[in-house]
């Protein structure tokens, strides 16, 4: 039967409006049955927010249900000093390659795009293996500024294990999702009653990784995919668990996620990386939330190969606008972009103040592009 | 994003993503990949072969959720809120 799955992957089935309306009806029934409002649940994935916005799902959510975006945009949570390291390296004359979204993320005084405009050599790549190919053709050093969660870190691990050229190294800003969910669940201001976990990250880690989390915090987790019906079905199941009152993990993305996950990928990930505590932008310190290269791969670790001197940056004060940015509260699920005075005025995709307005997975950019949470009381039907 | 494998050379596959062809590496996927398989791609790497049985299982899950929702969607009080979302 392999190779004959055309019907099964018919994308129309995952986007069918009638089915979506039926699932939205189930959400309404469940929020009424729970009979508390607002019911706040958090998704931890920029791709979920993209689908929610792109397909207008928020307009079909019952008003009592608040679906908030957490720290699920890899670009947004890359901390300022990590961007600074890449910028300083580039300004020192080292060639830097990175994913396109990272180019315009502001550091303390500059982004990689600013450095490139000043003459630094900065390349945009679609994949880390493209960066390796680029290095192969060069006589100079190439540093790959690596951002993203465990899903992306696996790709970085794979190229390091595949004997890359000696002029290639990695500046890792990779992050690991499960620890940050602990932080959000423990925040005193957190209103989150359930998590919609990212299907792709869980493809690697398996859904079993969330069981200890649920046991510790008593908050349910549903693993969901990225099509509109995946998200609606995930929310329906999350509300069903909240209604029942027995927190557990449910896998609503069985076509990709297993309990154990992708063991081959995990083996590569933990062979190359070790988890260390460190800052996420807007979330502060996350124990075991950052992935750094193990000592045995020091030859490919840009932090070990180059002296990255950040001291010169501290002469600059952040701009007044930067101090007004509430990206941190938005990623912690405490605020919405519409709560930010800069949103859509001083902070727009063409000239972003905060990281959430830069990335295609950033909440502010998505809300700016698609209109965010429509106020249905002002819409005539 | 799911795509269908068109051809394979070593650890590199040529994959069709709804009409767009891209090279995808097969280093980290946990099963052997054959031409015609569907894979889940992330930043140029296949992270999962999507088995047909699980595609069906997912669709069956939707069908079940929809059957449960069917009676409620007909309820007049729910209908008003759904229509407000159009």
């Amino acid at each position: 039967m392999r190779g004959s799955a055309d019907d099964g992957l018919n994308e129309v089935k995952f986007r069918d409006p009638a089915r979506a309306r039926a699932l939205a009806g189930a959400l309404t029934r469940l929020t009424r049955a729970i009979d508390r409002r607002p019911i706040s649940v958090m998704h931890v994935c920029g791709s979920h927010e993209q689908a929610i916005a792109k397909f207008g799902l928020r307009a079909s959510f019952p008003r009592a249900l608040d679906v908030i975006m957490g720290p699920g945009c890899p670009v947004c949570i890359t901390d300022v000093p990590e961007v600074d390291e890449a910028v300083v390296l580039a300004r020192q004359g080292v060639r830097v390659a990175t994913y396109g979204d990272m180019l315009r993320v502001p550091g303390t005084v500059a982004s990689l795009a600013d450095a490139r405009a000043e003459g630094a050599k900065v390349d945009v790549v679609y994949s880390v293996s493209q960066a390796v190919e680029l290095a192969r053709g060069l006589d100079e050093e190439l540093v790959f500024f690596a951002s993203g969660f465990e899903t992306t870190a696996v790709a970085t691990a794979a190229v390091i294990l595949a004997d890359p050229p000696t002029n290639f190294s990695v500046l890792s800003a990779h992050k690991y999702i499960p620890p940050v969910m602990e932080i959000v669940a423990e925040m005193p201001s957190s209103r989150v009653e359930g998590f919609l976990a990212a299907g792709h990250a869980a493809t690697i880690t398996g859904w079993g990784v969330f069981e200890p989390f649920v046991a510790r915090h008593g908050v349910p987790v549903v693993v969901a995919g990225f099509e509109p019906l995946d998200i609606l079905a995930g929310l329906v199941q999350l509300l069903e668990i909240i209604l029942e009152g027995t927190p557990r993990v449910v896998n609503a993305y069985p076509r990709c996620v297993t309990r154990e996950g992708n063991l081959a990928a995990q083996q590569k990930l933990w062979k190359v990386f070790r988890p260390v505590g460190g800052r996420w932008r807007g979330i502060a310190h996350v124990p075991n939330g950052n992935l750094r290269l193990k000592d045995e791969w020091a030859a490919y670790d840009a932090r070990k190969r180059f002296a990255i001197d950040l001291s010169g940056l501290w002469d600059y004060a952040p701009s007044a606008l930067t101090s007004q940015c509430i990206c941190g509260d938005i990623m912690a699920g405490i605020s919405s972009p519409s709560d930010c005075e800069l949103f859509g005025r001083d902070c727009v995709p063409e000239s972003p103040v905060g990281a959430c307005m830069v990335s295609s997975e950033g909440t502010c950019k998505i809300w700016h592009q698609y209109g965010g949470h429509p106020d249905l009381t002002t819409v005539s039907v | 994003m799911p795509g269908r494998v068109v051809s394979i050379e070593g650890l590199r596959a040529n994959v069709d993503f709804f009409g767009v062809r891209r090279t995808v590496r097969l280093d980290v996927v946990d099963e052997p990949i054959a031409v015609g398989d569907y894979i889940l791609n992330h930043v140029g790497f296949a992270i999962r072969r999507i088995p047909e049985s699980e595609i069906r299982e997912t669709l069956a899950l939707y069908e079940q959720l929809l059957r449960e929702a069917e009676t409620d969607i007909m309820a007049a009080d729910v209908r008003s809120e759904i229509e407000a979302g159009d």
Side-chain angles (χ1 to χ4, degrees):
Chain A
M1 292 296 283
R2 285 175 79 173
S4 59
D6 278 338
D7 292 337
L9 263 183
N10 178 352
E11 62 176 329
V12 175
K13 286 192 176 173
F14 291 107
R15 299 182 179 184
D16 179 69
R19 290 163 193 241
R21 276 157 61 107
L23 287 169
L27 286 179
T28 300
R29 171 179 64 84
L30 286 161
T31 50
R32 288 184 178 188
I34 293 169
D35 197 27
R36 266 185 294 110
R37 53 181 67 199
I39 304 157
S40 296
V41 298
M42 174 181 275
H43 66 75
V44 199
C45 181
S47 298
H48 280 160
E49 186 64 29
Q50 271 181 330
I52 287 169
K54 184 175 170 188
F55 297 100
L57 299 187
R58 228 180 222 101
S60 69
F61 294 160
R63 272 159 245 173
L65 176 65
D66 198 4
V67 181
I68 50 186
M69 173 163 179
C73 164
V75 176
C76 305
I77 48 78
T78 302
D79 201 17
V80 172
E82 292 171 318
V83 176
D84 288 342
E85 286 179 298
V87 169
V88 165
L89 258 183
R91 282 176 162 180
Q92 285 173 358
V94 179
R95 191 171 199 115
V96 174
T98 193
Y99 295 116
D101 271 356
M102 293 306 298
L103 202 61
R104 292 171 61 229
V105 178
T108 302
V109 294
S111 64
L112 278 171
D114 296 331
R116 184 159 76 171
E118 295 163 4
K121 290 172 279 189
V122 179
D123 298 289
V124 170
V125 291
Y126 148 80
S127 162
V128 61
S129 43
Q130 196 184 340
V132 171
E133 293 311 312
L134 186 62
R136 260 186 233 290
L138 293 172
D139 292 331
E140 60 184 328
E141 293 280 344
L142 180 86
V143 172
F144 180 64
F145 181 36
S147 64
F149 299 118
E150 47 268 37
T151 334
T152 315
V154 161
T156 306
V159 301
I160 286 176
L161 292 170
D163 198 21
T166 54
N167 63 334
F168 173 82
S169 59
V170 170
L171 179 64
S172 172
H174 284 308
K175 309 276 192 241
Y176 188 51
I177 292 257
V180 82
M181 287 171 60
E182 305 268 353
I183 297 292
V184 173
E186 286 166 11
M187 280 181 179
S189 52
S190 175
R191 300 170 287 139
V192 178
E193 295 177 62
F195 285 92
L196 206 61
H200 283 181
T203 301
I204 302 296
T205 59
W207 59 261
V209 79
F210 300 114
E211 287 180 316
F213 171 82
V214 171
R216 267 197 296 276
H217 300 285
V219 178
V221 174
V222 171
V223 176
F226 307 98
E227 292 293 344
L229 292 192
D230 287 325
I231 291 167
L232 289 167
L235 288 171
V236 166
Q237 293 187 82
L238 198 50
L239 291 183
E240 280 174 349
I241 302 171
I242 292 170
L243 178 62
E244 288 166 18
T246 312
R248 61 181 185 277
V249 185
V250 165
N251 178 19
Y253 197 32
R255 71 181 182 277
C256 289
V257 177
T258 63
R259 187 169 194 277
E260 294 73 28
N262 180 339
L263 294 172
Q266 287 171 35
Q267 191 260 339
K268 284 187 161 63
L269 179 68
W270 299 120
K271 192 169 169 57
V272 170
F273 290 103
R274 65 191 165 92
V276 300
R279 285 181 54 89
W280 291 36
R281 190 189 296 239
I283 308 289
H285 185 88
V286 180
N288 296 319
N290 286 344
L291 299 175
R292 294 290 181 263
L293 269 67
K294 286 182 167 173
D295 288 343
E296 64 185 291
W297 308 105
Y300 297 115
D301 189 342
R303 289 190 179 88
K304 304 247 167 74
R305 275 171 64 157
F306 302 94
I308 307 174
D309 180 10
L310 297 180
S311 60
L313 292 170
W314 312 129
D315 299 338
Y316 298 86
S319 76
L321 285 181
T322 305
S323 62
Q324 291 176 51
C325 171
I326 63 164
C327 278
D329 286 349
I330 290 169
M331 283 184 282
I334 298 165
S335 300
S336 294
S338 48
D339 297 329
C340 180
E341 294 195 357
L342 304 177
F343 179 74
R345 298 185 187 93
D346 298 299
C347 183
V348 291
E350 296 73 33
S351 60
V353 175
C356 293
M357 189 59 91
V358 176
S359 164
S360 57
E361 293 187 19
T363 309
C364 295
K365 170 90 176 281
I366 295 167
W367 281 46
H368 193 268
Q369 187 171 1
Y370 294 107
H373 198 320
D375 180 0
L376 295 179
T377 59
T378 64
V379 178
S380 56
V381 288
Chain B
M1 185 180 204
R4 192 175 193 185
V5 176
V6 178
S7 63
I8 297 175
E9 193 174 322
L11 284 175
R12 287 167 195 277
N14 188 266
V15 179
D16 178 25
F17 297 99
F18 300 103
V20 179
R21 295 283 180 93
R22 274 238 154 110
T23 298
V24 171
R25 280 178 58 161
L26 305 176
D27 306 39
V28 300
V29 72
D30 54 353
E31 287 182 87
I33 300 294
V35 169
D37 282 348
Y38 279 95
I39 54 99
L40 190 64
N41 166 55
H42 186 76
V43 292
F45 284 73
I47 55 171
R48 170 89 172 145
R49 184 174 81 83
I50 309 175
E52 195 173 358
S53 61
E54 294 186 9
I55 294 168
R56 289 215 189 97
E57 190 183 329
T58 303
L59 291 172
L61 168 75
Y62 290 154
E63 296 299 338
Q64 182 197 336
L65 287 167
L66 292 167
R67 271 198 303 278
E68 286 169 9
E70 194 86 359
T71 48
D72 299 295
I73 201 172
M74 301 309 291
D77 59 335
V78 177
R79 186 189 291 266
S80 62
E81 275 203 42
I82 294 169
E83 285 174 356
D86 278 350

